[in-house]
Structures are given as C-alpha cells and as structure tokens.
Amino acid sequence: MGEKAVPSLRRRVKRSCPSCGPEPGGEEKKGRGNPISVQLFPPELVEHIISFLPVRDVVALGQTCHYFHEVCDAEGVWRRICRKLSPRLREQGSGVRPWKRAAILNYTKGLYFQAFGGRRRCLSKSVAPLLAHGYRRFLPTKDHIFILDYAGTLFFLKNALVSSTLGQIQWKRACRYVVLCRGAKDFASDPRCDTVYRKYLYVLATREQLEVVGTTGSRACDCVEVYLQSSGQRVFKMTFHHSMSFKQIVLVGQETQRALLLLTEEGKIYSLVVNETQLDQPRSYTVQLALRKVSRCLPHLRVACMASNQSSTLYITDEGGVYFEVHTPGVYRDLFGTLQAFDPLDQQMPLALSLPAKILFCALGYNHLGLVDEFGRIFMQGNNRYGQLGTGDKMDRGEPTQVYYLQHPIALWCGLNHSLVLSQGLDFSKELLGCGCGAGGRLPGWPKGSASFVKLHVKVPLCACSLCSTRECLYMLSSHDIEQHPAYRDLPASKVVGTPEPNPGSGVLQDPGGTAWACKEYLSQIYSCSTLQDRMEKMKEIVGWMPLLAAQKDFFWEALDMLQKAAGGVGQGPPTPES
C-alpha cells in the first residue's frame, strides 16, 4: 500500500520562467499532480538552496534561463558561498560585486609548480593558506616562496621535510605556511633570475604611527621592511612621511649599492640606496629619498608600473609609453645593438622606445625584453643568441620586433636566456609556450630549445594568470579576478599582417608580404635542414608558430611525433630533385 500511495502523494516542482514559457504538453499530463513553480518559493530559500552547490554548478545553472541567471548572480548566494570557502574572511572586499569577486578569488586561488629535475615531472600544488583572500602575486626566493593576497597579507610558504604515505621522509616544496606580515602593498627581492641571490625580502607596507609622542592619535604611514628570506626575521625598517603614499617597489643594482625604486600614487618615482651587506648589523643610519631623474626631467609623465633587473629599469606610463634606464654598457649593447647613445656618466637618463601602439604590460630579462600592446601583439627586443626572442632565428634585435601569430597573451615572462608566454585558446583552455635555451629542462618537451615559441609539455591550470621560472622549477599562479582582465582592442584590418587587400584595378584580393611570404619562409627553413629528423623538429616549431587552435596544434604535433618515430633513421640526407 505504501508503494502505491507514493506516486499520488508526490508533488512535482517545476521551473516556470517567464522567458521560457509553460512546459510543453503540461496540460495534457494527467495523474501526476499539479506542478509548483519555483518562483513561488521565497527568494531567500532559493538562494539558500543554490548556495550548497559547487561554484562550477552555480555558474552552469545561471546559464540555463533568465530567472536562474538572476538568482545565481545575486550577492546573497555569493555571500553564503564565500563564507563557506573562507570562514575567517570578515569583510567582502571592494568592487562592484564584492561577494562574488571574493568567492571566485578564493575558489580559483592556487600555486602550482613543476620541478625540472628528478623522476616526477608533473604539476604539483602548494599548500593553500586558509587565511588568504585570493592570490595577487608571488615570488620564489632561495629557499621558500612568498605570496601576497588581496587583503594585504603576505604569506611565507616554507619548504620542509615531511613524511610520505609510505613512511618515507622526503623534501617537499611549499608545504607549510606562516603569516609574515599584514598591511603589505608590494614586495620585491634581488631582480636576478637566479634565486640564490635573493637573500632579503623588501616589503612595502602601511603602518600606524603616533602623531606626537605622548598622545593617543595615530596616522597611517608607508614604510619599507626588510626580512631575511631564510627565517622571516625582520632586520631593517624605514618609515616615510605620511604625505607620501607608494604603490610599487622594485630593486636594481648590486648588493653594496642596492637602489630601491618607489612608485607613488601620483606616478612619480623616488629612489634610495642601501648596502645589503650591512642590513644584518645592529645599527641605525639615515638614507636619503630623492626624486628619480625620469620624474625630474619628464615631470609631465605619470608612470603606471615599473620592471627591473640588475642593471636596467623599464617604466610604462599611463598613456602606454615606454622609457628605459640602462646602467651597464654590455646590457645596453645587447638591447640596442650599439653604444652610440650610452653615457656612462649619466646612466639614469631615460630612453624612449618607439612603439606603434599603447603598451599594457611587459617582461624584462637580463638582456632581452618583451612588450604587449593594447591590440594583444607581442614585441621582443634584445639579445637573441639562444632564440629567446621567438622570432624564428638567432639574430639580435635592436628595436621592438613583433612576433607574429602569437597574440593576446595572459602573461609574459623573460628569463636569462629563454622566454615564456601564457596564452588562452578560443575554447578558454590555457597553454604555455616557450622559446630560447632548453638546457636543464627549462622548456619541458624541448630539451634542445627552440628559436620560435612552441607549446611546452606542461598541464596549465584553468585559471592560471601569472608565471615565473627559476633554475630548478616552473611556477604558475592561479587566481581569477572578475574585475581585472586585459582589455585588448580589435586591431584595424589595415594593420593585420596577412590580410588580403583588393587590387584597385581588377578587384582581386592580394596578399603582399603576408601569409604567402610567411609560408615561403617556413618552407625555406625546412629545406635548409639536412636530415629528416631535423625537418620534423623544424616542422614542430613552425606548427607552434602558426595561428592554429590549440586542438589543431596538438593534432599536428601528435601526427609529427608518430611520423618521426615511424621513420626512424630512414630518409637521411638532403632532399633529392625527385622528392
């Protein structure tokens, strides 16, 4: 009796969306009870039920119809989801959609790394601090990793010896964490690619200072605190006047003459010099804060961001202009191909780079650099001895040179003699491309390196947003901010390389120096290879360089691998006229 009574007592709940209309054939269905519209439930109850779904399912449900789109996009749903993901998060943060932004930041946060040596060459994930409110940026040092979240908390991720599931003791990266400091705005260390030199960590932070001794009033002042990267101990602190507010810090120069460059909220650059070899000594001394020459000579410029290495600094203005400081003749010759304008007595004189469009962000290596403009185009310049510019050859470039068929990058990174690009396909899948020297496993899958950007054998996280490579490891930071994304513009058709142009006389489409020229260049490179194996390797590079979808590139790479293995040693020698 109980089993027969259940169907008659069951009530059906149906989604009744005004935009979808009534359910087809609903009036003809008899004996199933009257359907109940989900819109009859209180909105608070529907939001409460939906908040129990995983974030991925909430997003998918919001794409079904207009009603669920509004319900799943409500701040009440995201507030409940955010408190489940981060129970210790007290404030929702800032922005137009603060709770949704906070929930997605904490859902997508993660730091992934892949070691170049050892038996296991797979992607691993570091420990995730429960207190972290998303990940904003990270920096690996000699022994550990530092991560800054969106709430201004700087975390200290330690490498340590841990016990595996089999009871063995093994060394593991970033497996424990502690809070280094709070109120941090930015941080920096030795700008060289080798983490061995990163002994100290410089943190730009905001601290409350007493206005007058003996009073209870206080005001916020910016300061720079210096920590030992090995232990997290603070060894030095300098505090600035409350009228000066900074937003970025970079380092340049040698240890004995370490220059700290500080960018103000108004776009001005200030600098001071410290001696790192004396920071651990228990004494106090006064340092002088001075306006940098780029802000003195060009007071109308408003700098938006900076990048530096040991002997050069790059400034990007709010209007997209690029200015350079080069402090050594060797790096100047590598970057510009000449020493004609280099002045050893005035190394801070800014040099303007000639570019066709507004620059959004950049990457600065030891003797080469990469720039990304507002149309998503990538320009490379500098030393190209190992093919680190990705131009397909090993010729140095003394001016910004566009890397064709590689556009709309998410992140760009330049190292000592190789470069990396994080890109996204049309299907929103991420892939990592690299070029230059492949020694030491720094280009996974391409041990001999490549003079053009090729797809690396690395599984990229779905929400990867930045990357960094050291001598031992490749790091990728995962975090998605719904309010920050590269706003690339559409390139005008007249500037697209390879776009057919109509012939004024005949109306026939032409291709002057575009795709046809590129294909001829590819064929000439293949013919120049002496063996079949070399031709296969060159073809793989060319596939990575062509404007293909990620699935198409994977198909051609797999097919070329199969042909290469099947051919073996057959087909050696130069091509014959019959072939």
Side-chain angles (χ1 to χ4, degrees), residues 37-72:
S37 172
V38 71
Q39 292 177 310
L40 298 179
F41 292 99
E44 295 81 5
L45 179 59
V46 178
E47 293 178 1
H48 181 72
I49 296 173
I50 293 178
S51 65
F52 284 94
L53 297 175
V55 175
R56 185 186 298 270
D57 294 341
V58 173
V59 176
L61 181 62
Q63 298 175 349
T64 56
C65 70
H66 178 71
Y67 172 75
F68 278 120
H69 174 73
E70 291 184 348
V71 174
C72 295

Side-chain angles (χ1 to χ4, degrees), residues 246-301:
F246 302 100
K247 64 178 182 179
Q248 187 184 3
I249 179 174
V250 298
L251 307 183
V252 67
Q254 300 286 344
E255 289 88 346
T256 57
Q257 290 289 322
R258 182 74 75 196
L260 280 66
L261 305 186
L262 298 164
L263 175 61
T264 66
E265 297 289 348
E266 294 77 22
K268 302 297 180 182
I269 306 294
Y270 286 85
S271 65
L272 57 91
V273 179
V274 298
N275 188 350
E276 276 193 0
T277 60
Q278 300 177 356
L279 288 179
D280 55 353
Q281 299 178 6
R283 72 186 188 91
S284 61
Y285 57 92
T286 303
V287 293
Q288 183 179 2
L289 186 67
L291 194 64
R292 198 73 172 177
K293 192 164 188 175
V294 64
S295 295
R296 292 202 316 268
C297 299
L298 304 171
H300 61 284
L301 291 182

Side-chain angles (χ1 to χ4, degrees), residues 166-276:
L166 300 177
Q168 300 176 350
I169 302 298
Q170 61 181 0
W171 181 258
K172 193 173 182 180
R173 295 177 183 269
C175 60
R176 298 176 182 173
Y177 73 92
V178 295
V179 175
L180 184 69
C181 67
R182 302 182 187 275
K185 292 183 173 182
D186 195 18
F187 63 102
S189 186
D190 190 293
R192 283 173 284 191
C193 298
D194 195 343
T195 57
V196 174
Y197 300 104
R198 297 174 184 174
K199 181 179 179 182
Y200 295 100
L201 189 75
Y202 295 75
V203 180
L204 175 64
T206 301
R207 298 286 181 262
E208 292 291 331
Q209 299 289 336
L210 295 176
E211 294 185 5
V212 182
V213 179
T215 63
T216 59
S218 63
R219 61 177 60 183
C221 297
D222 283 357
C223 65
V224 173
E225 299 175 341
V226 185
Y227 296 85
L228 277 172
Q229 69 85 28
S230 57
S231 62
Q233 177 187 359
R234 194 180 76 182
V235 297
F236 188 74
K237 180 180 179 180
M238 59 188 85
T239 304
F240 306 106
H241 193 266
H242 63 84
S243 62
M244 305 191 71
S245 179
F246 302 100
K247 64 178 182 179
Q248 187 184 3
I249 179 174
V250 298
L251 307 183
V252 67
Q254 300 286 344
E255 289 88 346
T256 57
Q257 290 289 322
R258 182 74 75 196
L260 280 66
L261 305 186
L262 298 164
L263 175 61
T264 66
E265 297 289 348
E266 294 77 22
K268 302 297 180 182
I269 306 294
Y270 286 85
S271 65
L272 57 91
V273 179
V274 298
N275 188 350
E276 276 193 0

Side-chain angles (χ1 to χ4, degrees), residues 112-114 116 420 432 458 467-469 472-476:
Y112 299 84
F113 58 89
Q114 178 171 324
F116 295 140
L420 301 175
L432 186 61
V458 178
L467 69 155
C468 174
S469 180
E472 304 86 9
C473 202
L474 169 68
Y475 298 91
M476 286 181 287

Side-chain angles (χ1 to χ4, degrees), residues 441-487:
R442 65 191 69 182
L443 295 180
W446 303 86
K448 295 182 180 180
S450 173
S452 58
F453 282 97
V454 292
K455 182 180 178 181
L456 305 183
H457 295 180
V458 178
K459 184 178 180 181
V460 182
L462 181 62
C463 296
C465 61
S466 64
L467 69 155
C468 174
S469 180
T470 66
R471 179 181 296 179
E472 304 86 9
C473 202
L474 169 68
Y475 298 91
M476 286 181 287
L477 186 73
S478 172
S479 182
H480 180 67
D481 190 350
I482 62 175
E483 296 184 359
Q484 293 182 3
H485 53 87

